[in-house]
Amino acid sequence: MNEKTHLLVLDDEKNYLLVLEALLTDAGYTVTALNDPETGLAFLEESEVDVIITDMKMPKITGREVLEQVKKNWPHIPVLIMTAFGSIESAVEVMKYGAFDYITKPFSNDELLLSVHNASELSRMHRQYRVLRENLEERYGMHQIIGKSRAIRETLAMVDRAAPSRSTVLITGESGTGKELVARAIHFSSPRNKGPFVSVNCMALNPGVLESELFGHEKGSFTGAVAMRRGRFEQAGGGTLFLDEIGELTPELQVKLLRVLQERRFERVGGTEEVEVDIRVVAATNKNLQEEVEKGNFREDLYYRLNVVHIALPPLRERREDIPLLVAHFVDKLARENGVTPKTFTPEALDYMTGYEWPGNIRQLQNVVERCLVLVSGDTIRVDDLPPELRDEEAQLKSAVDLLPVQLDLADTLERIEAALIRRALVRADFVQVKAAELLAISKSLLQYKLKKYNITGH
């Protein structure tokens, strides 16, 4: 039980050090015994330590000073203080400063081992908590759904409201807006988080393969089916099935999916036996499913089954104030993944990035950050280092116009462009209206009128 617990023992009396090292090693602990507390503190900088046992009185650094350093820099490590019988008052005092326990010299072996065991159990729980927190952050973490904008705060509030239930969720948004991240957030903050999260891209497979992928198949059901195979519905049992690009399902598969949602049962391809499933379905699409229903491409009854909870993800151009935060996140994440030194984007470069329309949304932004990190020499990324499409004002304007719906008339189109320019100016001016008005070369009163006209919050 104790073999993985690493103890650091500090005592300037070598005899005590030898006795402690032998006793604790025999008890199954990994022990590092040092007679110099300065070396011990340096050792902590380089090593994983679970519990520290330190003498109270040492010539260079006292046990209390060791405790203070540990509490400041490694607050999760329990510290046991050893003290001579006559110094109990000072030992009790260090308990106030956060020592886990104190042991009087000469100590009883059983008393010492019990105290060390309790401290190691506390350390183990701290370690499990840190690993769990890191796993959650890595798997769905809110640090991956980055943003402070109203749009993203509303999205996260919807995630919080949707997560506890079993209701089907439909996530809509343009490609690259982070629909799978939101699906993962729903799963890992739900009561089903101990179950699997299984993802299927409905556009990536042809209909025949997709049917087998979703529902599984029986042995011999088609050429190449040499064994029974469980599909994604079964694999997601007790957890969440994420169906991306749901708008690409054929009419036949739409019927099968509707039945699973209604009855929680299905048959494998080539099979006759019904399989029951306990799953939650989260679906996503970049299509307007209501329009697809009106065109006859998507079943209305399936649409309403999927659209119990609807989360609409905003495109990146509608949450521009989040772009600097996303850039900082991707710099840190991608620098670690690529083994390169993190770089800094100049304020001017960030301005250009904030002003760009990002037709590929967050996925495109991540791609640009990675390209700059890998290709730019030096530790600063300037405007000239950005891809041409971000620097070319004419290309930016064309990009913005291309994203407008084709059925808009001229007045609507001009109003949308004006509103977009005002939002961009506000972001570039850190939401200081006077500065934004200067960037737009209009008066502050006219800006305030426009903010009201376009229902822009201005903060």
Side-chain angles (χ1 to χ4, degrees):
M1 179 180 68
N2 298 325
E3 68 272 17
K4 291 185 180 177
T5 303
H6 184 186
L7 310 179
L8 174 62
V9 184
L10 304 175
D11 196 328
D12 61 312
E13 295 181 51
K14 289 187 178 178
N15 288 339
Y16 262 111
L17 210 55
L18 290 170
V19 168
L20 284 164
E21 185 175 13
L23 176 66
L24 295 168
T25 301
D26 286 347
Y29 295 99
T30 300
V31 182
T32 300
L34 301 171
N35 66 352
D36 176 14
E38 284 183 339
T39 306
L41 291 172
F43 179 80
L44 282 170
E45 298 277 0
E46 306 294 331
S47 308
E48 287 287 330
V49 170
D50 297 305
V51 178
I52 297 168
I53 305 168
T54 179
D55 191 31
M56 184 68 168
K57 288 191 175 179
M58 294 179 288
K60 292 181 183 175
I61 300 175
T62 67
R64 177 172 161 177
E65 288 169 329
V66 169
L67 173 66
E68 287 172 350
Q69 285 293 316
V70 171
K71 285 293 148 196
K72 180 181 174 184
N73 298 312
W74 305 278
H76 58 279
I77 303 179
V79 179
L80 278 65
I81 301 283
M82 295 183 296
T83 182
F85 184 73
S87 310
I88 290 179
E89 281 184 17
S90 55
V92 172
E93 187 185 339
V94 296
M95 295 290 286
K96 296 176 188 174
Y97 288 90
F100 178 80
D101 200 358
Y102 71 88
I103 300 153
T104 55
K105 291 180 177 179
F107 51 79
S108 106
N109 290 357
D110 289 344
E111 181 190 356
L112 174 71
L113 290 172
L114 177 62
S115 187
V116 171
H117 170 76
N118 291 339
S120 67
E121 283 296 295
L122 176 65
S123 179
R124 184 177 60 81
M125 284 190 288
H126 275 308
R127 187 166 60 247
Q128 285 178 344
Y129 170 73
R130 291 199 309 279
V131 168
L132 176 64
R133 187 184 63 198
E134 286 163 8
N135 283 347
L136 286 173
E137 286 177 351
E138 189 59 36
R139 288 159 87 182
Y140 90 93
M142 291 312 197
H143 76 285
Q144 291 190 37
I145 306 176
I146 303 294
K148 62 180 181 180
S149 63
R150 174 182 289 186
I152 211 64
R153 289 202 308 270
E154 287 173 355
T155 298
L156 291 173
M158 283 293 290
V159 167
D160 286 342
R161 288 200 293 273
S165 75
R166 189 180 170 174
S167 299
T168 308
V169 179
L170 179 64
I171 305 168
T172 58
E174 295 177 9
S175 291
T177 47
K179 295 188 286 293
E180 182 165 348
L181 269 185
V182 171
R184 287 179 181 277
I186 290 167
H187 171 73
F188 285 108
S189 52
S190 79
R192 311 177 75 82
N193 59 17
K194 290 184 174 63
F197 177 88
V198 177
S199 176
V200 184
N201 187 323
C202 299
M203 191 168 65
L205 303 166
N206 71 50
V209 174
L210 180 59
E211 183 178 9
S212 173
E213 191 70 22
L214 289 173
F215 301 104
H217 59 251
E218 297 292 350
K219 181 180 178 180
S221 57
F222 55 86
T223 305
V226 294
M228 187 276 283
R229 183 174 182 274
R230 290 181 172 82
R232 298 298 180 93
F233 277 99
E234 285 180 83
Q235 291 169 23
T240 303
L241 178 65
F242 175 56
L243 299 174
D244 200 5
E245 306 295 357
I246 194 76
E248 303 300 325
L249 287 182
T250 62
E252 294 77 21
L253 284 177
Q254 288 178 35
V255 172
K256 287 202 164 193
L257 175 58
L258 179 62
R259 187 191 169 207
V260 179
L261 292 175
Q262 287 173 334
E263 301 177 15
R264 304 285 170 182
R265 63 182 68 218
F266 64 91
E267 292 164 7
R268 299 189 193 103
V269 175
T272 54
E273 184 184 336
E274 288 193 327
V275 180
E276 288 194 25
V277 283
D278 168 28
I279 57 165
R280 181 192 201 164
V281 171
V282 177
T285 181
N286 59 12
K287 289 185 172 182
N288 184 327
L289 282 192
Q290 210 153 11
E291 285 183 6
E292 294 298 304
V293 169
E294 289 165 10
K295 292 175 186 173
N297 297 332
F298 202 83
R299 292 183 64 99
E300 187 174 28
D301 46 6
L302 177 57
Y303 170 66
Y304 287 118
R305 275 279 174 186
L306 292 170
N307 195 28
V308 178
V309 178
H310 180 208
I311 298 178
L313 283 188
L316 190 52
R317 61 186 172 277
E318 289 180 12
R319 40 179 291 220
R320 294 180 188 276
E321 59 265 53
D322 294 336
I323 290 172
L325 296 173
L326 286 160
V327 169
H329 167 66
F330 287 135
V331 165
D332 180 57
K333 176 175 178 282
L334 296 169
R336 278 188 279 113
E337 288 178 4
N338 289 289
V340 298
T341 306
K343 295 178 172 66
T344 304
F345 284 78
T346 65
E348 293 76 21
L350 278 176
D351 275 351
Y352 271 78
M353 296 176 84
T354 304
Y356 183 57
E357 290 299 303
W358 297 106
N361 292 296
I362 297 170
R363 192 179 293 128
Q364 184 188 5
L365 175 65
Q366 178 172 341
N367 179 273
V368 167
V369 172
E370 184 165 16
R371 189 162 37 165
C372 290
L373 281 176
V374 172
L375 297 180
V376 174
S377 56
D379 56 5
T380 304
I381 297 165
R382 298 178 169 79
V383 172
D384 290 346
D385 299 318
L386 298 175
E389 64 268 22
L390 271 70
R391 291 182 275 120
D392 184 344
E393 290 286 338
E394 192 173 318
Q396 283 202 38
L397 184 60
K398 182 181 183 303
S399 168
V401 172
D402 285 346
L403 288 165
L404 292 167
V406 291
Q407 69 271 22
L408 286 179
D409 60 28
L410 183 61
D412 280 342
T413 302
L414 292 174
E415 285 191 351
R416 291 217 182 184
I417 291 172
E418 186 175 51
L421 288 170
I422 289 169
R423 286 193 186 93
R424 182 166 75 170
L426 278 168
V427 170
R428 287 188 170 183
D430 291 327
F431 294 90
V432 177
Q433 291 184 11
V434 175
K435 286 185 185 176
E438 285 176 8
L439 287 171
L440 294 164
I442 60 175
S443 67
K444 184 184 174 188
S445 58
L446 180 56
L447 174 63
Q448 289 174 330
Y449 165 75
K450 299 282 188 185
L451 292 175
K452 193 172 182 182
K453 177 182 177 182
Y454 297 123
N455 195 26
I456 300 169
T457 57
H459 58 76

